Amino acid sequence: MFRSVPSALDADGNAGNDLTRYTDDESRQQRWGSIIDKIEVNFAESVNEDERPMVQFQKATASSTTDDYFSALSAPGMASHFQPAARFGRSCSTFSRRKLTEWIQLQKMNTSRDISDRKKYFERSVRILHSLVLKMIIAIVKAGKTEMVVAVHPDIITSENIMVHHSAEDGETAHFIQSESMDGSSLDGLATKYCAMKALGMVAYELLMMGDGHPVSFFLPSVPSDIGGTHLQLSICGIGECIGAEAHERNQADAKAPRTAVDKTQGRITNVMLNSGVPYPLCRFVVDLLGEDCSDGLLLRSDNSFASFSDILSDLKQMINNPEAFIHLSVRDQWRLAFGNKMHGRESEKKMIMDAASRTTGTTSNDALFEALSLLLPQNKRQIVMVSGKPGSGKSRLVMEAKTDLENKGWIFLSCKFDRIVHAEPLSVMASAFDEFLEQCLGSSRQPQISTNLKTLMLPNDVSILTTHVPCLVKYLDGPPGPVAGVEVSKEEMHQLFHQLLHVLSVAGQPIAFFADDLQWADAASIDLFVALSEASEPVLSRTHCDTHTKSKIMLIGSYRDDEVHSDHLLADTLRQLKSRNSSFEVTDIAVRGFSLETLNQIVSESLCLPLRRTKFLTEIILQKTDGIVIHIIELIGRLTMDRILCHSFVKGWEWDSEVIEGYPISDSVAELFVFKLNKLPLYALRALQICSIFGTQIEQRVISFVQDFDGEQSVDIIAGLKDALALGLIEMTDTTNVFKFAHDIIAQAAFDLISDDERSVLLRKLASALIRNASAANEIDRIIFVAVDLVNRIKNDVVTDPEERVLYACMNEKAGKKALAVPDFSSAVKYSESGLAFLDVCHWNTHHELTMSLHQTSVAALYSCPHGNRELLKERIEAVFRRSKTLDEEFKTRHVWIRVLSTTSLEEAIEACHALLERLEEPIDLSKYSSSHLYSELVRAKDLFSEKRQQFSMMSPMADLNKRNAMKIMSSLIIYYHQQSSNFAGLVSSRMVETTIKYGYCEESVFAVASFAATIVRVLGDIDEGSSWARMALSLLTRFRHNVNALLPAVYAAVYGLVLILTEPIQASQKDNFNMEWISHRLTIYNLSATLSPLLRGCSLAFDYGSIQFAVGNAEYLNNASGHDILTLLSTFPVNVLLGEIDVLAHKCAQHCQLPAVERVFAPLHHVLRDLKGLDQQALAPLGYVYDTSVLQDSAYGKKDLHNLDTQLMIHIAHAFMLGDMKKVQSLAEMFEDLITKKHFVFNCVIIEFYAGLAACQFARETLEKGWEDKAEQVRESMEKMCSHSKWNFENKYLLIRAECHYTKGNINAAAECYESSIISARNHKLVHEEAVACELAGNFFREQGDKSKSHTMFGGAHKAYMNWGAVKKAKTLPQA
């Protein structure tokens, strides 16, 4: 704030002679700095208690809004300060003060003719007037509303009765020397108010004129005042025309014309003030205070005159806050209407975005201790912010404002924008966000870190795949990317790759915001990727390199037009699904509506540099016509200026005729507002914009060059036309990408709408022809294939009659379909393949067989993979392929798809189709000759035979025979189907695959074959050691498939870790690979298993991420089976609430891939048990939508003799029943399980069921003294001893616990006590928290029965602690010591 420098006062209070020497503010400040500081200190000390409210009030009002004055003026103690003269005179004896008239004269002497000095004087004068108004008014409550009324008599509002005080804190403020308060009856009178305004106007006139010129009385007739009998010359004569000061418009020379040239018909006061150099806004302020066209000077006032002191304060506050605009009219380009960069009226919406960001990073608290403890709390929900509103309502602007704040907080911000016309390569819009960000990082300090992350966090083949979508990645590599031709990538795998790329960009764990604009136009693949960026699993590598502090923090922001997203829209359906997952996602909806009258008036006021009161009526008209929509407002005002209805004067600023604007016609369509502007363009410029609009909201300059000659010699110069549009702000051009973009998609829509329907098809055809011709000649057709195909498919079919042209268009669609399938974007692949077929007829099977077959095959693959694909159309296309195929190779992929389709409805039919296809591939498997005994013998024979040849695997060559490779694919499917039927034929098929591998070489399916064979040796033959050797062989084979290792891991892990190594290797210990696996160990740390990362959970996540759904379900089942009674055995350091979150995620992923039976079979029982142990009310697992009765599920599986579905459920509920002490239920469930097993299966769930059944048998033996129960317990002890020999880590604590229970049953008290304590120590050392709790509880019961209360108390305390650490709160409360 500019402050005046107080004079040096002599003993008599007169100014010293040296004062006039210092006209420069800076030198004066140096000269009198110490004196000023002393005066300020003395004044601060001299202010007594009853004056402090006034000082505080002045400080508060210096930066407050108009509304704050009401509360400030109504504050206790303020009323007495409206007669402050006497007290201030006493308490401010050392304070710099002068009468206003003296102060004016002093400033007149010290103010040079320099413009900057005069500007400072006017700004200081405004602050003085602002402080004076605050002394004149008081706030009262009338009819429930707070109003400002005059608190002093108008007669005392004169320059002679005003003292200017100066302080370091408040600057210059005005006070009355003598005060005369009004009686209560006159406080709110209109006459009093207007007289006070006129008196203030006189003071303002004298202050701004610096005492020069005629006094106001010279212009006003003398009219007696009715107040107090005094006489004030307050009437104005002839000022009705004074607010004009019109200079010649839009001419710089005229703007500099002398003010004396102002027309004599204009108001004399305004004219005099302008000639004296007073800025027009201050002239207008004075005239509006005095009141125009008044015959009596009191009650009759013009529309522009002040009506309240609130308006006066508002005017002054705007002048103080923005003097360049509201005092000096010197803002840059102030004759051009602009809305500036300030965001208005969106503060609450912006706060919602920032709050979601805080929830993403977990920084909602300023408490450091809370933030440290928050790391131990459940993971925050994934944050998705959806901004909706009408076109042009400011959705994108809102997010961009939040972007600035986020980046200031260290966030990374990526953004992309979708187009109404979808012609880009699938996922290219989403990929462009990554590409643009990487371009910006080139040459910055971030570049080397991103390069390092690419090497350490991603596999080389994955990076190569991504470079096809994000070309800029190549600039971050040491060399060219590897080849990716022929590599098939699933949708889930592609999602995971983009998610990993986010981690690469996140240097040092920076949070990331990804903004997708105009999602209402996004295709299905892009919406799927948008959601997947938030819900994808942590990258395999980053999970081993990062701790909890650097875990990914990603917030998604999307915007869409709510009037285009109806209930059946794809985006609406996606949002409903996300909101249903309230335990995993938190969706913040922000509806951006039109501006309110107050906000819009603020915008218009600042844009026109006019006071709020002056623009209010104009704002009301604009609001009525535009509904407050931003783009609508801008274009309406733009049209008003073009039609000269809204005009600008260099002296007075903006002027308008409200009546004309009120009747101005306007369309309901925002796009039609731009039609008027576009029609004003030259024809060639309009044509250029129309051509660009056909390609959407943006177009590459390269594409423009290909279509430049679209109409031969009649072609317009597109580039020249775009340059004209660029100058008018209709389009923009990016420097880095050479892309022309429409300034707003509404402009593109308006240009497109100006093309008639008949003309559109012709223009599309010409552009498509030129694009294909010229791009082909430049050998760039593959790069712009999707742009060309979009043009082709928008041409009406009946327009294209030439057979060769139709075939050409079909070929273009065939290429686009294959590229879309490779992305993969199944919906687009279906669209392109079906569009290609639409250009062909039946005879093309004969004339263009390969083309037609390729289109059918692409359609089949895409329709099958598309979640909502047309199943009837799929069957029709499959049947066509079967009828028209000439070779088995030609139809194999379609046959394989058909088998998968069958498996969703009938496993028997799918198995039958597999065997039929194997016969055609000359690899038949006749299972009819195998009985159960023959099957067992055959597996033993195969084990012995292959064990001798196992070492040959390291020397084998790749499988070259295509039929054999295809047969291996079919046999892999057979293993899965037989496994789902709980049939041992799966083992026989795996042995055939191993045999084929030995004979013909290895392929990717060989790894799964060896893993499955290892599982068969363990499950069926019971040879754990031999099975473990084959399992390790399967893992070693992974080194041969480095390029596709992530896709193979789920299948291998499901068998190897879920069925074999879990019986021999420590579940949670860190173990190093003993085989030649350095590369995988370094790159994937497959064998560097920590206590928080299990291969089964990784396999489950990777299976979902890479599209191996059947193996994802298998991993999830084995994950449960391996757990004993939940996932905790593998991840025992995780509390129950974290496990519930994991279950929610996995269950939703199953549901997304139509695997609800797996949710019911695997996740629902576990969800039920965990919630019960934690003491939570039962609620439905979200994908199911209902609480499933697990007993019904058990009875159904038991009646069908379905061991595959039953064993998992029984294992979970046996463990649950044992913890709750329901031993009868434990035994009945165990008997149900044994009833289905004819031969013992060596799988983990069987071992766990046997373990809990044995513990229950011990209790029954002690209660009933029956020998049978004791014998059964002894059998379990022997079984646990055998399992302990294979893996001490996994089974020692179980063996010791069952042994303790057996000793207790037999009365061996000392031996039992020793075994109990050993079991507890073993469970604790091996991090099996829940089994430690079980052991402590059983030991507590034992010692209580022995009468050792102290020992019993200790054991129950240990059980309580372990259960609480686990999260089983309900169970912990049931313990005796609870």
Side-chain angles (χ1 to χ4, degrees), residues 864 895-904 906-915 969-986 989 1008 1110-1111 1204:
Y864 169 72
R895 284 285 176 189
H896 202 184
V897 170
W898 177 240
I899 290 172
R900 293 176 182 175
V901 173
L902 289 175
S903 69
T904 60
S906 172
L907 283 177
E908 289 76 11
E909 291 184 19
I911 291 171
E912 183 180 346
C914 283
H915 282 291
K969 295 179 186 295
I970 300 303
M971 285 189 279
S972 295
S973 297
L974 261 181
I975 291 176
I976 297 170
Y977 302 151
Y978 279 131
H979 175 73
Q980 291 176 351
Q981 290 185 330
S982 300
S983 169
N984 287 333
F985 284 142
V989 176
F1008 176 58
Q1110 65 271 31
F1111 296 119
H1204 177 73

Side-chain angles (χ1 to χ4, degrees), residues 907-1171:
L907 283 177
E908 289 76 11
E909 291 184 19
I911 291 171
E912 183 180 346
C914 283
H915 282 291
L917 187 53
L918 285 173
E919 287 185 11
R920 295 182 63 185
L921 292 168
E922 299 180 357
E923 281 291 331
I925 302 178
D926 185 7
L927 301 178
S928 61
K929 61 183 180 181
Y930 294 105
S931 63
S932 297
S933 58
H934 289 154
L935 177 61
Y936 186 84
S937 300
E938 176 62 22
L939 291 175
V940 172
R941 183 197 68 79
K943 182 195 75 167
D944 295 339
L945 176 63
F946 299 156
S947 295
E948 299 174 359
K949 301 180 178 180
R950 191 166 59 225
Q951 300 305 320
Q952 297 179 12
F953 277 78
S954 61
M955 298 177 290
M956 282 188 292
S957 301
M959 190 178 292
D961 191 322
L962 178 60
N963 278 351
K964 301 305 177 184
R965 293 203 304 269
N966 288 339
M968 292 286 282
K969 295 179 186 295
I970 300 303
M971 285 189 279
S972 295
S973 297
L974 261 181
I975 291 176
I976 297 170
Y977 302 151
Y978 279 131
H979 175 73
Q980 291 176 351
Q981 290 185 330
S982 300
S983 169
N984 287 333
F985 284 142
L988 190 62
V989 176
S990 67
S991 69
R992 171 63 72 86
M993 292 180 72
V994 173
E995 182 180 3
T996 303
T997 299
I998 294 174
K999 287 183 179 180
Y1000 300 101
Y1002 67 88
C1003 61
E1004 289 187 359
E1005 286 73 21
S1006 298
V1007 186
F1008 176 58
V1010 173
S1012 298
F1013 187 62
T1016 298
I1017 293 174
V1018 173
R1019 294 181 68 253
V1020 181
L1021 303 183
D1023 192 340
I1024 297 176
D1025 292 332
E1026 183 68 14
S1028 297
S1029 297
W1030 280 97
R1032 293 180 181 277
M1033 175 59 68
L1035 293 174
S1036 69
L1037 286 175
L1038 284 173
T1039 58
R1040 298 173 183 255
F1041 303 99
R1042 298 178 181 181
H1043 67 283
N1044 203 28
V1045 65
N1046 284 339
L1048 293 175
L1049 284 179
V1052 175
Y1053 279 5
V1056 169
Y1057 284 101
L1059 295 172
V1060 181
L1061 296 184
I1062 198 169
L1063 300 175
T1064 62
E1065 294 190 356
I1067 291 175
Q1068 293 169 315
S1070 297
Q1071 273 207 334
K1072 195 72 178 178
D1073 161 47
N1074 296 322
F1075 290 90
N1076 185 22
M1077 295 284 290
E1078 290 84 357
W1079 183 83
I1080 293 183
S1081 181
H1082 172 67
R1083 302 293 289 174
L1084 294 178
T1085 59
I1086 289 178
Y1087 293 101
N1088 187 20
L1089 302 179
S1090 67
T1092 58
L1093 183 63
S1094 87
L1096 276 181
L1097 185 60
R1098 181 187 291 175
C1100 186
S1101 296
L1102 283 175
F1104 282 117
D1105 294 338
Y1106 289 89
S1108 304
I1109 305 307
Q1110 65 271 31
F1111 296 119
V1113 175
N1115 275 279
E1117 291 177 357
Y1118 298 142
L1119 198 62
N1120 286 343
N1121 296 346
S1123 65
H1125 49 83
D1126 59 15
I1127 304 176
L1128 196 60
T1129 304
L1130 290 176
L1131 302 172
S1132 61
T1133 56
F1134 285 174
V1136 170
N1137 57 346
V1138 174
L1139 298 175
L1140 287 170
E1142 293 292 334
I1143 291 170
D1144 178 73
V1145 172
L1146 293 175
H1148 274 285
K1149 287 188 174 182
C1150 281
Q1152 287 174 356
H1153 295 88
C1154 304
Q1155 295 292 329
L1156 281 178
V1159 177
E1160 293 178 350
R1161 182 177 69 248
V1162 180
F1163 299 110
L1166 185 56
H1167 182 262
H1168 173 87
V1169 167
L1170 289 175
R1171 289 188 66 85

Side-chain angles (χ1 to χ4, degrees), residues 56 124 362 397 476 497 507 513 518 570 629 670 711 794 853 959 968 1005 1010 1053 1057 1066 1089 1118 1172 1219 1251 1258:
Q56 294 169 359
R124 294 163 65 190
R397 173 68 183 275
Y476 288 79
L497 294 182
V507 177
D518 283 329
L570 176 62
I629 302 300
V670 181
D711 202 14
R794 287 157 62 194
M853 178 60 73
M959 190 178 292
M968 292 286 282
E1005 286 73 21
V1010 173
Y1053 279 5
Y1057 284 101
L1089 302 179
Y1118 298 142
D1172 185 63
M1219 288 185 184
F1251 168 65
C1258 289

